[in-house]
Amino acid sequence: MVKLGVNIDHIASIRNLRLGKLPSPVQAAEIVESAGAAGITVHLREDRRHINDGDVITLRKSVKTKLNLEMSVAPDIVQFALNILPDDVCFVPEKRRELTTEGGLDLRSDMSRMRKIIGKLKSKNVRVSVFIDPVADQIRAAKDIDADFVELHTGKYAESFTAGSYKRELKRLTDAAGLALSLGLGLNAGHGLDYNNVCPIAAINGMNELNIGYSIICDAVFAGLFESVVKMKKLIENPGKY
Ligand code: PXP
């Protein structure tokens, strides 16, 4: 069965609007786990715009399923990962001004450094994944640098799904998935997946895990909004009673 990893970055995005403690990523992780997710994913960005170091340290202790840390290869972040030892690390490219991760890594650009970093993490039993576009040469490079998994970038697929013609992007992902599996790499995918577009991706042969964040957090807001308004209305209409 395909596993669900839930990215809870945007719980921290909301918390940071008021620089306070709520909503708590730790509480979010508990709910996500109790709902049956296989793991918690967080992206420690270089500018710490949502999840921060303290969150990751606390989650490392509280998460009972597994903690997947998405990160760049910036030396201080690599050192942080070597200190806290998440269960999984997923390397992603990072540009300061992007709203979210825009494309996959170019693994060919820095093979020896990547191989060295991956070796260090794997020697401490951290599983390593690399976030790449569904391109054959990148998948072969992932094998060359000894990654355990590829996480295929589904962003273009998600955009094409919205535009109404996703068959070509789905084929690229399916072909890339087949190549990854034939090379002995584990197969994950994510980015832009939502309740409408997820099924064709979940049905790809050999898919291990999907990492999904934004659409779940957006859905959760509306799933809970009705009850939250009723709860507040009850209090202010009968203040003496509570
Ligand atoms: N996987 C990776 C590597 C990501 O960078 C992200 C976004 O942080 C996701 C999955 C989740 O994407 P989304 O929030 O669009 O579901």
Side-chain angles (χ1 to χ4, degrees):
M1 213 175 1
V2 181
K3 291 181 234 147
L4 173 63
V6 178
N7 181 315
I8 58 168
D9 289 347
H10 296 303
I11 297 293
S13 301
I14 300 171
R15 176 201 55 196
N16 294 355
L17 291 173
R18 292 274 173 110
L19 306 175
K21 290 193 183 338
L22 297 177
S24 146
V26 168
Q27 196 183 349
E30 281 168 13
I31 294 169
V32 164
E33 289 188 306
S34 69
I40 302 298
T41 294
V42 289
H43 185 174
L44 188 66
R45 283 187 165 269
E46 288 170 29
D47 64 5
R48 310 300 198 267
R49 78 173 73 142
H50 34 59
I51 289 292
N52 60 40
D53 301 43
D55 292 326
V56 182
I57 290 166
T58 320
L59 287 164
R60 172 69 288 193
K61 294 186 200 127
S62 71
V63 165
K64 296 188 183 63
T65 51
K66 70 182 176 84
L67 182 64
N68 174 30
L69 184 63
E70 291 175 356
M71 50 183 257
S72 72
V73 288
D76 63 316
I77 297 201
V78 171
Q79 191 51 53
F80 177 77
L82 285 165
N83 293 341
I84 67 133
L85 299 178
D87 300 286
D88 299 348
V89 155
C90 178
F91 282 109
V92 298
E94 190 167 322
K95 295 184 215 132
R96 276 292 160 100
R97 290 188 163 272
E98 67 192 357
L99 289 177
T100 181
T101 317
E102 281 167 359
L105 287 164
D106 178 9
L107 295 177
R108 292 279 177 214
S109 70
D110 209 359
M111 300 270 285
S112 65
R113 185 156 77 110
M114 286 292 291
R115 192 183 286 116
K116 221 156 126 191
I117 295 169
I118 289 174
K120 276 190 192 165
L121 286 162
K122 287 179 69 166
S123 74
K124 300 201 171 203
N125 295 322
V126 178
R127 287 177 297 250
V128 178
S129 163
V130 285
F131 186 54
I132 53 174
D133 292 321
V135 171
D137 190 48
Q138 292 299 326
I139 291 163
R140 291 200 184 91
K143 181 69 185 173
D144 291 345
I145 57 174
D146 208 20
D148 298 300
F149 288 85
V150 289
E151 179 162 328
L152 297 180
H153 193 323
T154 51
K156 275 217 175 92
Y157 159 81
E159 281 168 22
S160 69
F161 196 96
T162 309
S165 67
Y166 63 89
K167 291 273 170 353
R168 194 170 145 263
E169 288 304 324
L170 182 60
K171 178 155 184 345
R172 284 181 76 209
L173 287 160
T174 309
D175 290 349
L179 176 60
L181 293 172
S182 75
L183 294 174
L185 290 158
L187 178 64
N188 299 333
H191 210 282
L193 296 178
D194 63 24
Y195 296 86
N196 294 316
N197 66 23
V198 74
C199 286
I201 303 298
I204 291 176
N205 200 19
M207 186 59 71
N208 172 62
E209 182 173 287
L210 299 179
N211 282 302
I212 307 180
Y214 191 67
S215 65
I216 293 179
I217 303 304
C218 290
D219 189 73
V221 171
F222 288 149
L225 189 56
F226 184 94
E227 276 176 41
S228 300
V229 171
V230 169
K231 193 158 82 177
M232 184 58 81
K233 200 163 166 268
K234 222 160 126 187
L235 290 173
I236 67 175
E237 286 176 357
N238 303 282
K241 198 170 152 193
Y242 298 99

